[in-house]
Protein backbone atom coordinates (compact mmCIF):
# COMPACT_ATOMS: atom_id res chain seq x y z
CA UNK A 1 0.00 0.00 0.00
CA UNK A 2 1.26 3.48 -0.88
CA UNK A 3 2.28 5.53 2.15
CA UNK A 4 0.59 8.79 3.02
CA UNK A 5 1.92 11.54 5.27
CA UNK A 6 -0.14 14.52 6.37
CA UNK A 7 0.02 17.71 8.40
CA UNK A 8 -2.13 17.43 11.53
CA UNK A 9 -3.19 19.82 14.27
CA UNK A 10 -1.85 18.51 17.59
CA UNK A 11 -2.51 21.23 20.17
CA UNK A 12 -2.61 25.04 20.26
CA UNK A 13 0.47 26.33 18.48
CA UNK A 14 1.61 22.94 17.21
CA UNK A 15 1.23 21.03 13.97
CA UNK A 16 3.06 17.82 13.13
CA UNK A 17 3.67 15.54 10.17
CA UNK A 18 1.99 12.19 10.81
CA UNK A 19 1.36 8.95 8.95
CA UNK A 20 -2.25 8.40 7.85
CA UNK A 21 -4.02 5.78 5.79
CA UNK A 22 -3.99 5.96 2.03
CA UNK A 23 -7.48 7.16 1.01
CA UNK A 24 -10.25 4.72 0.20
CA UNK A 25 -13.66 5.30 -1.33
CA UNK A 26 -15.27 5.32 2.07
CA UNK A 27 -15.23 7.92 4.84
CA UNK A 28 -13.67 6.29 7.90
CA UNK A 29 -13.89 7.25 11.54
CA UNK A 30 -11.21 9.66 12.72
CA UNK A 31 -10.55 13.03 14.33
CA UNK A 32 -13.36 15.45 13.54
CA UNK A 33 -15.38 13.00 11.43
CA UNK A 34 -19.09 13.43 12.02
CA UNK A 35 -20.44 10.08 13.30
CA UNK A 36 -23.25 10.26 10.77
CA UNK A 37 -20.65 10.37 7.98
CA UNK A 38 -18.68 7.31 9.15
CA UNK A 39 -19.03 4.53 6.59
CA UNK A 40 -20.28 6.85 3.88
CA UNK A 41 -19.27 5.34 0.53
CA UNK A 42 -17.84 7.54 -2.20
CA UNK A 43 -18.20 5.75 -5.57
CA UNK A 44 -18.44 9.21 -7.14
CA UNK A 45 -14.99 10.19 -5.81
CA UNK A 46 -11.40 10.20 -6.98
CA UNK A 47 -8.07 9.92 -5.23
CA UNK A 48 -5.63 12.71 -5.99
CA UNK A 49 -1.86 12.75 -5.72
CA UNK A 50 -1.34 16.21 -4.31
CA UNK A 51 0.43 18.65 -6.62
CA UNK A 52 0.15 21.68 -4.32
CA UNK A 53 -1.70 22.39 -1.08
CA UNK A 54 -1.57 25.71 0.69
CA UNK A 55 -1.46 26.96 4.26
CA UNK A 56 -4.47 29.23 4.84
CA UNK A 57 -5.27 31.83 7.46
CA UNK A 58 -8.37 29.80 8.25
CA UNK A 59 -6.10 26.90 9.20
CA UNK A 60 -4.25 29.26 11.53
CA UNK A 61 -7.41 29.92 13.55
CA UNK A 62 -7.52 26.19 14.37
CA UNK A 63 -3.79 25.95 15.01
CA UNK A 64 -3.95 28.86 17.46
CA UNK A 65 -6.57 26.94 19.42
CA UNK A 66 -9.32 29.36 18.51
CA UNK A 67 -11.78 26.67 17.42
CA UNK A 68 -13.00 23.33 18.77
CA UNK A 69 -10.75 21.36 16.38
CA UNK A 70 -9.70 18.00 17.90
CA UNK A 71 -6.09 16.79 18.09
CA UNK A 72 -4.81 14.93 15.00
CA UNK A 73 -7.27 16.64 12.66
CA UNK A 74 -5.58 16.49 9.24
CA UNK A 75 -5.42 20.01 7.85
CA UNK A 76 -5.71 21.45 4.37
CA UNK A 77 -8.60 22.70 2.27
CA UNK A 78 -6.60 24.37 -0.54
CA UNK A 79 -5.81 21.46 -2.85
CA UNK A 80 -4.57 20.96 -6.40
CA UNK A 81 -3.83 17.42 -7.54
CA UNK A 82 -3.35 14.78 -10.21
CA UNK A 83 -5.98 12.05 -10.42
CA UNK A 84 -4.51 8.60 -9.69
CA UNK A 85 -7.71 6.57 -9.05
CA UNK A 86 -11.34 7.06 -10.01
CA UNK A 87 -14.40 5.57 -8.36
CA UNK A 88 -16.87 3.44 -10.33
CA UNK A 89 -19.38 6.29 -10.47
CA UNK A 90 -17.01 8.83 -12.05
CA UNK A 91 -17.71 9.44 -15.72
CA UNK A 92 -15.80 12.49 -16.99
CA UNK A 93 -12.69 12.94 -14.84
CA UNK A 94 -9.84 10.61 -15.85
CA UNK A 95 -6.62 9.29 -14.36
CA UNK A 96 -3.84 11.76 -15.18
CA UNK A 97 -6.03 14.88 -15.11
CA UNK A 98 -4.64 17.78 -13.07
CA UNK A 99 -7.43 19.58 -11.27
CA UNK A 100 -8.19 22.32 -8.80
CA UNK A 101 -10.34 21.30 -5.84
CA UNK A 102 -12.79 23.92 -4.54
CA UNK A 103 -12.47 24.04 -0.77
CA UNK A 104 -16.27 23.79 -0.52
CA UNK A 105 -17.40 20.17 -0.76
CA UNK A 106 -20.66 20.11 -2.71
CA UNK A 107 -22.90 17.30 -3.94
CA UNK A 108 -24.21 18.99 -7.10
CA UNK A 109 -27.64 17.53 -6.43
CA UNK A 110 -29.29 19.58 -3.68
CA UNK A 111 -31.31 22.77 -4.07
CA UNK A 112 -28.44 25.01 -2.96
CA UNK A 113 -25.92 23.45 -5.35
CA UNK A 114 -28.38 23.83 -8.22
CA UNK A 115 -28.69 27.52 -7.30
CA UNK A 116 -24.85 27.88 -7.38
CA UNK A 117 -24.69 28.17 -3.58
CA UNK A 118 -22.00 25.50 -3.32
CA UNK A 119 -20.63 26.91 -0.07
CA UNK A 120 -23.78 25.75 1.71
CA UNK A 121 -24.45 22.32 0.17
CA UNK A 122 -27.15 20.50 2.09
CA UNK A 123 -25.90 16.93 1.72
CA UNK A 124 -22.24 16.72 2.74
CA UNK A 125 -22.26 17.77 6.41
CA UNK A 126 -24.87 16.29 8.76
CA UNK A 127 -24.50 19.17 11.25
CA UNK A 128 -25.09 22.21 9.07
CA UNK A 129 -25.09 23.41 5.45
CA UNK A 130 -21.61 23.61 3.97
CA UNK A 131 -18.48 21.50 4.22
CA UNK A 132 -14.74 21.67 3.60
CA UNK A 133 -11.69 19.42 3.71
CA UNK A 134 -9.69 19.27 6.92
CA UNK A 135 -11.79 21.73 8.87
CA UNK A 136 -13.51 21.64 12.23
CA UNK A 137 -17.29 21.01 12.22
CA UNK A 138 -17.30 20.58 8.43
CA UNK A 139 -18.28 16.92 8.27
CA UNK A 140 -14.91 15.30 8.77
CA UNK A 141 -13.65 15.05 5.18
CA UNK A 142 -9.91 14.44 5.49
CA UNK A 143 -7.67 17.40 4.68
CA UNK A 144 -5.35 17.70 1.72
CA UNK A 145 -2.05 18.76 3.30
CA UNK A 146 -0.96 15.22 2.51
CA UNK A 147 0.51 13.08 -0.26
CA UNK A 148 -2.92 11.76 -1.28
CA UNK A 149 -6.50 12.90 -0.67
CA UNK A 150 -10.02 11.73 -1.46
CA UNK A 151 -12.33 14.12 -3.35
CA UNK A 152 -16.06 13.21 -3.43
CA UNK A 153 -18.51 14.05 -6.22
CA UNK A 154 -15.51 14.43 -8.50
CA UNK A 155 -17.31 15.11 -11.79
CA UNK A 156 -19.03 18.03 -10.10
CA UNK A 157 -16.34 19.37 -7.76
CA UNK A 158 -13.14 19.20 -9.78
CA UNK A 159 -11.99 21.94 -12.15
CA UNK A 160 -9.86 20.17 -14.75
CA UNK A 161 -7.04 22.20 -16.28
CA UNK A 162 -7.22 22.05 -20.09
CA UNK A 163 -3.52 21.35 -20.69
CA UNK A 164 -1.31 19.48 -18.24
CA UNK A 165 2.00 21.03 -19.29
CA UNK A 166 0.58 24.55 -19.25
CA UNK A 167 -0.96 23.90 -15.84
CA UNK A 168 2.34 22.79 -14.34
CA UNK A 169 4.04 25.90 -15.76
CA UNK A 170 1.51 28.12 -14.00
CA UNK A 171 0.84 25.92 -11.00
CA UNK A 172 1.82 28.50 -8.37
CA UNK A 173 -0.95 30.75 -9.71
CA UNK A 174 -3.45 27.97 -10.35
CA UNK A 175 -3.14 26.56 -6.82
CA UNK A 176 -4.78 29.77 -5.57
CA UNK A 177 -8.02 28.77 -7.34
CA UNK A 178 -8.98 26.34 -4.59
CA UNK A 179 -9.72 29.14 -2.14
CA UNK A 180 -8.03 32.50 -1.74
CA UNK A 181 -8.36 33.87 -5.26
CA UNK A 182 -12.09 33.07 -5.61
CA UNK A 183 -12.63 34.10 -1.98
CA UNK A 184 -10.96 37.46 -2.50
CA UNK A 185 -12.82 37.88 -5.78
CA UNK A 186 -16.11 37.04 -4.04
CA UNK A 187 -15.34 39.69 -1.43
CA UNK A 188 -14.76 42.29 -4.14
CA UNK A 189 -17.79 41.28 -6.21
CA UNK A 190 -20.16 41.28 -3.25
CA UNK A 191 -18.78 44.66 -2.17
CA UNK A 192 -19.94 45.98 -5.54
CA UNK A 193 -16.51 46.67 -7.04
CA UNK A 194 -16.65 47.78 -10.65
CA UNK A 195 -15.00 50.14 -13.11
CA UNK A 196 -14.01 53.35 -11.34
CA UNK A 197 -14.76 52.13 -7.81
CA UNK A 198 -12.84 53.23 -4.75
CA UNK A 199 -12.24 50.23 -2.52
CA UNK A 200 -10.99 49.64 1.00
CA UNK A 201 -9.73 46.15 1.89
CA UNK A 202 -9.26 45.52 5.61
CA UNK A 203 -6.40 43.06 6.03
CA UNK A 204 -3.27 42.47 3.94
CA UNK A 205 -2.99 38.74 4.47
CA UNK A 206 -3.30 36.45 1.44
CA UNK A 207 -7.10 36.80 1.18
CA UNK A 208 -6.86 40.57 1.49
CA UNK A 209 -4.18 40.69 -1.19
CA UNK A 210 -6.33 38.43 -3.37
CA UNK A 211 -9.30 40.77 -2.82
CA UNK A 212 -7.13 43.74 -3.78
CA UNK A 213 -5.91 41.89 -6.89
CA UNK A 214 -9.52 41.11 -7.75
CA UNK A 215 -10.56 44.73 -7.32
CA UNK A 216 -7.91 45.73 -9.86
CA UNK A 217 -9.13 42.98 -12.19
CA UNK A 218 -12.69 44.32 -11.86
CA UNK A 219 -11.63 47.83 -12.84
CA UNK A 220 -11.37 49.69 -9.55
CA UNK A 221 -9.91 53.18 -9.75
CA UNK A 222 -8.25 53.10 -6.32
CA UNK A 223 -7.63 50.11 -4.07
CA UNK A 224 -6.61 50.88 -0.48
CA UNK A 225 -5.40 48.13 1.85
CA UNK A 226 -5.21 48.57 5.61
CA UNK A 227 -3.21 46.48 8.09
CA UNK A 228 -1.03 46.67 11.19
CA UNK A 229 1.80 44.71 9.52
CA UNK A 230 4.20 46.84 7.48
CA UNK A 231 5.64 43.84 5.63
CA UNK A 232 2.21 42.89 4.34
CA UNK A 233 1.42 46.51 3.44
CA UNK A 234 4.66 46.60 1.43
CA UNK A 235 3.46 43.52 -0.44
CA UNK A 236 0.18 45.31 -1.26
CA UNK A 237 2.08 48.32 -2.60
CA UNK A 238 4.14 46.03 -4.83
CA UNK A 239 1.19 45.64 -7.23
CA UNK A 240 -0.26 49.12 -7.15
CA UNK A 241 -2.35 49.38 -4.00
CA UNK A 242 -2.48 52.39 -1.74
CA UNK A 243 -1.96 51.41 1.90
CA UNK A 244 -2.79 52.69 5.36
CA UNK A 245 -1.02 51.72 8.57
CA UNK A 246 -3.66 51.01 11.19
CA UNK A 247 -1.10 51.13 13.99
CA UNK A 248 -1.33 54.91 13.48
CA UNK A 249 -5.09 55.02 13.99
CA UNK A 250 -8.38 54.29 12.27
CA UNK A 251 -8.88 54.23 8.50
CA UNK A 252 -11.14 57.26 7.91
CA UNK A 253 -8.56 60.02 8.27
CA UNK A 254 -5.94 58.14 6.27
CA UNK A 255 -8.48 57.37 3.52
CA UNK A 256 -9.28 61.07 3.35
CA UNK A 257 -5.59 61.85 2.82
CA UNK A 258 -5.63 59.54 -0.22
CA UNK A 259 -9.06 60.27 -1.74
CA UNK A 260 -9.95 63.72 -0.40
CA UNK A 261 -13.00 62.25 1.35
CA UNK A 262 -13.12 59.89 4.36
CA UNK A 263 -15.10 57.19 2.60
CA UNK A 264 -14.97 54.60 -0.17
CA UNK A 265 -17.55 53.07 -2.47
CA UNK A 266 -16.86 49.48 -1.47
CA UNK A 267 -15.53 47.74 1.66
CA UNK A 268 -14.04 44.24 2.11
CA UNK A 269 -13.39 42.49 5.42
CA UNK A 270 -10.50 40.08 4.90
CA UNK A 271 -9.67 39.79 8.61
CA UNK A 272 -12.45 37.96 10.44
CA UNK A 273 -13.03 37.15 14.07
CA UNK A 274 -9.49 37.61 15.41
CA UNK A 275 -9.47 41.28 14.42
CA UNK A 276 -7.54 43.78 16.49
CA UNK A 277 -8.30 47.41 17.15
CA UNK A 278 -6.45 50.39 15.72
CA UNK A 279 -3.43 52.24 17.05
CA UNK A 280 -0.09 51.28 18.55
CA UNK A 281 -0.23 48.07 20.61
CA UNK A 282 -3.80 47.40 19.46
CA UNK A 283 -5.50 44.58 21.35
CA UNK A 284 -7.98 42.06 20.00
CA UNK A 285 -11.37 43.68 19.39
CA UNK A 286 -13.33 41.42 17.05
CA UNK A 287 -16.01 43.91 15.95
CA UNK A 288 -13.47 46.57 14.94
CA UNK A 289 -13.24 45.76 11.25
CA UNK A 290 -16.97 45.45 10.61
CA UNK A 291 -17.79 48.63 12.54
CA UNK A 292 -15.05 50.65 10.84
CA UNK A 293 -16.15 49.38 7.42
CA UNK A 294 -19.68 50.57 8.11
CA UNK A 295 -18.30 53.99 9.05
CA UNK A 296 -16.15 54.46 5.96
CA UNK A 297 -18.34 52.86 3.27
CA UNK A 298 -20.52 55.38 1.43
CA UNK A 299 -24.27 55.30 1.97
CA UNK A 300 -25.89 52.79 -0.34
CA UNK A 301 -22.66 50.82 -0.62
CA UNK A 302 -21.90 47.23 0.22
CA UNK A 303 -19.59 45.17 2.40
CA UNK A 304 -18.07 41.91 1.18
CA UNK A 305 -17.13 39.80 4.21
CA UNK A 306 -14.95 36.83 3.23
CA UNK A 307 -13.19 37.07 6.61
CA UNK A 308 -14.02 34.04 8.78
CA UNK A 309 -16.42 34.29 11.72
CA UNK A 310 -17.23 31.31 13.94
CA UNK A 311 -19.94 30.22 16.35
CA UNK A 312 -17.45 28.81 18.86
CA UNK A 313 -14.16 30.48 19.88
CA UNK A 314 -12.56 29.12 23.07
CA UNK A 315 -10.07 32.01 23.05
CA UNK A 316 -12.62 34.79 22.62
CA UNK A 317 -11.96 38.03 24.51
CA UNK A 318 -15.27 37.78 26.40
CA UNK A 319 -18.20 35.41 26.84
CA UNK A 320 -20.06 36.91 23.89
CA UNK A 321 -17.08 36.54 21.56
CA UNK A 322 -16.71 32.91 22.60
CA UNK A 323 -20.13 32.33 21.03
CA UNK A 324 -19.44 34.45 17.95
CA UNK A 325 -21.55 37.35 19.24
CA UNK A 326 -20.06 40.75 18.43
CA UNK A 327 -21.05 44.30 19.42
CA UNK A 328 -21.91 45.55 15.95
CA UNK A 329 -23.19 49.03 15.20
CA UNK A 330 -26.00 47.65 13.06
CA UNK A 331 -27.77 50.98 13.36
CA UNK A 332 -24.98 52.57 11.33
CA UNK A 333 -25.40 49.97 8.60
CA UNK A 334 -29.18 50.41 8.62
CA UNK A 335 -29.03 54.20 8.53
CA UNK A 336 -26.65 54.11 5.55
CA UNK A 337 -28.60 51.38 3.69
CA UNK A 338 -25.52 49.19 3.48
CA UNK A 339 -25.63 45.67 2.08
CA UNK A 340 -23.71 42.78 3.67
CA UNK A 341 -22.59 39.45 2.19
CA UNK A 342 -21.07 36.87 4.51
CA UNK A 343 -20.20 33.19 4.46
CA UNK A 344 -18.06 30.77 2.51
CA UNK A 345 -17.24 31.80 -1.02
CA UNK A 346 -19.03 29.56 -3.55
CA UNK A 347 -15.76 28.77 -5.32
CA UNK A 348 -17.34 27.12 -8.36
CA UNK A 349 -19.10 30.38 -9.19
CA UNK A 350 -15.77 31.98 -10.06
CA UNK A 351 -12.94 29.47 -10.43
CA UNK A 352 -13.20 28.72 -14.14
CA UNK A 353 -13.22 32.41 -15.11
CA UNK A 354 -10.26 33.10 -12.84
CA UNK A 355 -8.44 30.08 -14.28
CA UNK A 356 -8.82 31.58 -17.74
CA UNK A 357 -7.49 34.93 -16.51
CA UNK A 358 -4.41 33.13 -15.17
CA UNK A 359 -3.84 30.98 -18.24
CA UNK A 360 -4.08 34.01 -20.53
CA UNK A 361 -1.76 36.17 -18.42
CA UNK A 362 -4.35 38.67 -17.22
CA UNK A 363 -3.36 38.35 -13.58
CA UNK A 364 -0.36 37.23 -11.49
CA UNK A 365 -1.95 36.14 -8.24
CA UNK A 366 1.03 34.09 -6.99
CA UNK A 367 3.32 37.09 -7.31
CA UNK A 368 0.82 39.39 -5.64
CA UNK A 369 0.42 37.16 -2.58
CA UNK A 370 4.16 36.32 -2.53
CA UNK A 371 3.70 32.57 -2.92
CA UNK A 372 6.55 30.37 -1.74
CA UNK A 373 6.84 26.60 -2.20
CA UNK A 374 8.06 24.54 0.77
CA UNK A 375 8.22 20.83 1.49
CA UNK A 376 5.58 18.96 3.46
CA UNK A 377 8.21 18.37 6.13
CA UNK A 378 8.67 22.14 6.48
CA UNK A 379 4.95 22.73 7.10
CA UNK A 380 5.40 23.33 10.87
CA UNK A 381 7.99 26.01 10.10
CA UNK A 382 5.69 27.54 7.48
CA UNK A 383 2.82 27.66 9.96
CA UNK A 384 5.04 29.34 12.56
CA UNK A 385 6.37 31.95 10.13
CA UNK A 386 2.89 32.70 8.78
CA UNK A 387 1.53 33.04 12.30
CA UNK A 388 4.36 35.46 13.11
CA UNK A 389 3.15 37.73 10.30
CA UNK A 390 5.26 36.73 7.29
CA UNK A 391 4.04 38.43 4.11
CA UNK A 392 4.07 35.07 2.35
CA UNK A 393 1.59 32.53 1.02
CA UNK A 394 3.09 29.12 1.82
CA UNK A 395 2.46 26.42 -0.78
CA UNK A 396 3.24 22.86 0.30
CA UNK A 397 4.90 20.52 -2.19
CA UNK A 398 4.19 16.98 -0.95
CA UNK A 399 5.16 15.04 -4.08
CA UNK A 400 7.85 17.10 -5.79
CA UNK A 401 5.77 18.64 -8.59
CA UNK A 402 6.89 22.20 -7.80
CA UNK A 403 10.26 23.74 -8.59
Amino acid sequence: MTGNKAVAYKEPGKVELIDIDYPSFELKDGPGVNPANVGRTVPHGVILKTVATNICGSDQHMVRGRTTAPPNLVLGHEITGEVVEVGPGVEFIKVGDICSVPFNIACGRCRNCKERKTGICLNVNPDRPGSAYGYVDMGGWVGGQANYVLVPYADWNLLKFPDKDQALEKIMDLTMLSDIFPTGFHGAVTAGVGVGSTVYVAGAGPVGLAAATSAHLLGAAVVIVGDLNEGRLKQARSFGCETIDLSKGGPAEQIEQILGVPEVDCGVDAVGFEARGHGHDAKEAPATVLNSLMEITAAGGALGIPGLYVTGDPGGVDEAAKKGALSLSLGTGWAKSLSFTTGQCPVMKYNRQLMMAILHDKVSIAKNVNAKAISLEDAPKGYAEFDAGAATKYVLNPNGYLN
Side-chain angles (χ1 to χ4, degrees):
M1 180 63 71
T2 303
N4 195 18
K5 291 187 177 295
V7 180
Y9 167 70
K10 301 297 286 187
E11 61 186 32
K14 183 179 180 181
V15 300
E16 193 173 282
L17 198 63
I18 65 171
D19 291 302
I20 64 170
D21 291 339
Y22 183 82
S24 67
F25 294 104
E26 178 182 325
L27 195 55
K28 305 290 182 61
D29 196 9
V33 178
N34 190 298
N37 263 349
V38 174
R40 186 171 183 163
T41 58
V42 190
H44 42 70
V46 302
I47 295 171
L48 295 183
K49 185 176 184 180
T50 306
V51 172
T53 177
N54 316 327
I55 296 174
C56 180
S58 298
D59 298 321
Q60 288 285 19
H61 294 305
M62 289 188 290
V63 173
R64 292 185 190 117
R66 297 299 295 268
T67 71
T68 55
N72 291 316
L73 180 75
V74 174
L75 301 169
H77 57 271
E78 300 189 8
I79 308 163
T80 306
E82 181 174 5
V83 178
V84 292
E85 292 186 47
V86 298
V90 177
E91 185 175 0
F92 305 112
I93 295 293
K94 307 298 182 186
V95 170
D97 290 344
I98 293 184
C99 306
S100 177
V101 185
F103 79 91
N104 327 107
I105 302 172
C107 72
R109 296 151 165 81
C110 71
R111 171 181 174 174
N112 284 351
C113 283
K114 291 178 180 180
E115 293 177 355
R116 303 183 77 194
K117 301 172 185 174
T118 54
I120 44 173
C121 173
L122 300 173
N123 287 331
V124 286
N125 183 357
D127 277 345
R128 65 180 72 172
S131 188
Y133 304 88
Y135 214 86
V136 60
D137 297 332
M138 286 293 182
W141 300 89
V142 178
Q145 288 178 11
N147 297 110
Y148 298 91
V149 63
L150 171 69
V151 174
Y153 302 103
D155 282 327
W156 168 251
N157 280 308
L158 290 177
L159 175 67
K160 176 185 171 182
F161 299 138
D163 182 88
K164 186 173 182 178
D165 292 336
Q166 183 189 31
L168 290 173
E169 287 177 9
K170 293 182 175 289
I171 198 64
M172 291 294 282
D173 291 290
L174 294 171
T175 189
M176 306 306 165
L177 293 172
S178 58
D179 182 357
I180 67 161
F181 197 10
T183 293
F185 194 81
H186 181 62
V189 167
T190 55
V193 178
V195 174
S197 297
T198 57
V199 185
Y200 175 64
V201 178
V207 169
L209 296 175
T213 298
S214 300
H216 285 307
L217 195 60
L218 290 163
V222 183
V223 180
I224 305 168
V225 179
D227 204 293
L228 296 158
N229 182 320
E230 173 53 31
R232 292 181 172 181
L233 292 175
K234 181 179 178 182
Q235 186 62 32
R237 290 192 293 272
S238 75
F239 59 94
C241 299
E242 300 285 347
T243 60
I244 59 176
D245 182 351
L246 296 171
S247 70
K248 298 178 181 178
E253 183 177 329
Q254 296 181 70
I255 288 172
E256 185 171 19
Q257 292 172 0
I258 296 168
L259 297 178
V261 292
E263 65 179 21
V264 291
D265 301 322
C266 314
V268 179
D269 172 9
V271 179
F273 74 103
E274 288 191 65
R276 288 189 282 165
H278 303 139
H280 186 61
D281 292 330
K283 301 293 189 276
E284 186 169 323
T288 299
V289 171
L290 291 172
N291 285 331
S292 63
L293 282 171
M294 285 189 275
E295 291 173 7
I296 57 94
T297 301
L303 307 185
I305 309 174
L308 175 67
Y309 290 86
V310 295
T311 55
D313 173 12
V317 294
D318 53 37
E319 290 305 311
K322 289 177 182 179
K323 302 174 184 177
L326 308 181
S327 298
L328 296 180
S329 180
L330 191 60
T332 300
W334 191 93
K336 296 176 74 173
S337 295
L338 299 176
S339 300
F340 303 79
T341 302
T342 66
Q344 288 188 37
C345 163
V347 170
M348 293 172 68
K349 190 172 183 178
Y350 308 108
N351 61 352
R352 184 187 179 279
Q353 300 96 305
L354 295 176
M355 175 189 74
M356 295 300 288
I358 290 169
L359 294 178
H360 293 278
D361 300 318
K362 299 301 181 186
V363 65
S364 299
I365 184 65
K367 178 182 177 182
N368 289 4
V369 301
N370 193 28
K372 178 183 178 181
I374 62 174
S375 68
L376 198 65
E377 290 74 17
D378 281 339
K381 180 180 178 183
Y383 269 96
E385 291 178 358
F386 188 38
D387 192 50
T392 305
K393 177 67 174 178
Y394 290 96
V395 178
L396 302 182
N397 182 23
N399 293 303
Y401 285 87
L402 310 180
N403 293 327

